[in-house]
Amino acid sequence: EEASVAVKALDLLLERDRQLVHWAGAGATAKEIAQWLEVSPSAAERARQRAVERFMKSYRLLRQRRSQP
């Protein structure tokens, strides 16, 4: 059930955010992400953090909905 909530939370994200969350989960460094996105490492790190935060927010909201009667 947790996995299905995570998949639905990912589906709610924009494509770029899904990529960033995937790369973060795969252990990619900010430097690697920066190269892929052609941005600075600090910009890549901020983008990664925001994408993961959006994913976690979506995940929490979906879990709350499932736990409500």
Side-chain angles (χ1 to χ4, degrees), residues 9-10 12-25 33 37 43-60:
L10 280 171
L12 294 173
L13 299 178
L14 297 173
E15 178 61 29
R16 180 145 176 185
D17 284 346
R18 281 194 296 272
Q19 282 182 317
L20 287 162
V21 170
H22 172 76
W23 291 333
I33 294 171
L37 298 179
E45 181 59 24
R46 285 191 306 274
R48 183 199 63 78
Q49 287 175 346
R50 286 191 304 269
V52 170
E53 287 170 5
R54 284 190 281 270
F55 167 71
M56 293 303 297
K57 184 176 181 179
S58 297
Y59 180 82
R60 284 191 299 269

Side-chain angles (χ1 to χ4, degrees), residues 23 29-45:
W23 291 333
T29 66
K31 186 176 179 180
E32 291 170 325
I33 294 171
Q35 290 173 339
W36 295 326
L37 298 179
E38 298 179 353
V39 298
S40 71
S42 61
E45 181 59 24

